[in-house]
Amino acid sequence: MAVHKEVSFVAFLLIALGMFLHVDAKACTKECGNLGFGICPRSEGSPKNPICINCCSGFKGCNYYTVFGKFICEGESDPKNPKACPLNCDPNIAYSRCPRSEGKSLIYPTGCTTCCTGYKGCYYFGKNGQFVCEGESDEPKANMYPAM
């Protein structure tokens, strides 16, 4: 009888804990998408390794800074609908800080990526270059302890 009470109590604790630690995993289907490429705005450059960009062609949501860390501007170009911008580099801009900082900026080819499995904050385009969707899944974190 005592074992039954202990098992019931442990089961109760697991259920109660599960309600607090609810994981909202995205359930995506396994079919492949028909996407051509994806763009994921990323932080780029540094004071020692400046980038070549201007505020017009910088991505919306990314902030651009001088070598000394002074804010210059937020990017003005929307990856879903890019602006026609001059190709010149603003010599004052050294680096950018974007919400997503790791991984590739251009995903090509996209393999079996769909809108559901694509990463949040990334923009996906069809093979004809037309915007299709923003990704819906959280990007996995980089492994802090790579295999040796």
Side-chain angles (χ1 to χ4, degrees), residues 20-144:
F20 288 110
L21 298 177
H22 173 70
V23 177
D24 191 17
K26 186 114 180 108
C28 298
T29 58
K30 295 198 185 252
E31 76 270 357
C32 291
N34 193 22
L35 301 173
F37 64 97
I39 296 176
C40 301
R42 307 288 185 174
S43 298
E44 297 179 296
S46 70
K48 291 183 180 182
N49 186 22
I51 57 175
C52 174
I53 200 161
N54 58 56
C55 294
C56 178
S57 60
F59 288 124
K60 280 186 178 179
C62 294
N63 294 325
Y64 295 86
Y65 298 90
T66 68
V67 153
F68 304 107
K70 181 180 177 197
F71 174 78
I72 295 177
C73 63
E74 179 179 351
E76 300 170 8
S77 191
D78 183 349
K80 296 182 279 188
N81 188 18
K83 290 177 77 170
C85 295
L87 300 176
N88 66 303
C89 301
D90 182 335
N92 296 311
I93 294 176
Y95 64 95
S96 68
R97 289 294 167 255
C98 304
R100 308 192 80 72
S101 294
E102 298 175 8
K104 295 180 179 179
S105 292
L106 181 63
I107 302 169
Y108 180 82
T110 58
C112 263
T113 302
T114 64
C115 295
C116 181
T117 59
Y119 299 142
K120 289 179 184 173
C122 295
Y123 304 91
Y124 294 91
F125 298 82
K127 293 182 177 161
N128 62 359
Q130 296 295 310
F131 174 74
V132 175
C133 63
E134 277 191 57
E136 301 172 11
S137 292
D138 292 321
E139 191 167 358
K141 301 291 181 216
N143 185 0
M144 293 182 64

Side-chain angles (χ1 to χ4, degrees), residues 12-23:
F12 170 76
L13 284 177
L14 289 173
I15 291 170
L17 184 62
M19 290 189 318
F20 288 110
L21 298 177
H22 173 70
V23 177

